[in-house]
Amino acid sequence: MKKSWQQVRRFILVGLVALFVGNVGMTTTVQATTWHKGTPKALRGLYQSTAPRQNSASGFPPVIELDGKTFSLGVSNNPVQMVKRVKYHKAHGVYYFKGHMEHQGWVKARNVQFALKKTGKQIHFVSGKHFFYQYSGEKFKQTTHVTGYRN
């Protein structure tokens, strides 16, 4: 009886060692995100906010412009927020961006992250705790007639 109990213990011990060694030897493939330089062609253009203005003194609605290498946000009576050295990647229909915001007026230079989602001819910011822009639910419609918001 004593000999068979030792054999069972040895069998369990060998099984556990084999299981441990098997898990250590297995490799998991993790796909790293590929960041692309510039902005995606699908989003390039000029967009203006569709949110209603509170009063006539509030100026023009916010304007977003994406060209090949930069992202800019112009809000009435504020300096243009220009993001250069833009990189992006797309996951699940959302475009994730990172870049460097230039110092203009009281807008301080810093590295920023944000996300945009496109539906039809409209885009909107995706909120997240690490994202710089937090425009909750405000949609921006593609336009061609806005001029003069940049200095």
Side-chain angles (χ1 to χ4, degrees):
M1 184 83 154
K2 197 173 193 181
K3 199 170 193 178
S4 69
W5 177 246
Q6 286 178 346
Q7 287 176 341
V8 170
R9 281 183 38 195
R10 187 176 299 151
F11 179 72
I12 290 173
L13 184 62
V14 169
L16 288 173
V17 168
L19 184 64
F20 177 73
V21 170
N23 282 339
V24 169
M26 293 174 63
T27 58
T28 54
T29 10
V30 177
Q31 210 158 16
T33 303
T34 302
W35 287 90
H36 307 284
K37 287 185 179 182
T39 61
K41 289 181 183 177
L43 294 182
R44 291 180 191 168
L46 190 63
Y47 299 86
Q48 188 171 25
S49 174
T50 60
R53 297 188 319 178
Q54 278 73 23
N55 56 46
S56 61
S58 62
F60 64 83
V63 175
I64 293 174
E65 184 174 13
L66 287 123
D67 63 18
K69 296 181 180 182
T70 63
F71 167 88
S72 63
L73 173 67
V75 181
S76 190
N77 299 325
N78 291 318
V80 173
Q81 299 173 25
M82 175 72 72
V83 181
K84 291 190 173 181
R85 299 193 303 251
V86 177
K87 293 182 180 180
Y88 77 94
H89 76 87
K90 183 180 178 184
H92 308 291
V94 177
Y95 294 91
Y96 296 91
F97 294 88
K98 64 182 180 179
H100 183 77
M101 183 178 295
E102 288 190 329
H103 174 80
Q104 292 188 19
W106 52 265
V107 175
K108 299 204 186 238
R110 65 181 71 164
N111 291 327
V112 295
Q113 295 179 354
F114 58 97
L116 294 171
K117 183 167 182 144
K118 183 173 184 176
T119 51
K121 292 207 178 259
Q122 292 185 344
I123 60 173
H124 65 276
F125 286 100
V126 176
S127 61
K129 67 179 185 178
H130 298 293
F131 295 150
F132 183 74
Y133 298 108
Q134 300 292 330
Y135 286 86
S136 58
E138 189 169 347
K139 293 189 168 132
F140 293 79
K141 187 175 183 179
Q142 196 162 16
T143 184
T144 57
H145 68 277
V146 177
T147 58
Y149 78 95
R150 275 198 205 183
N151 294 347

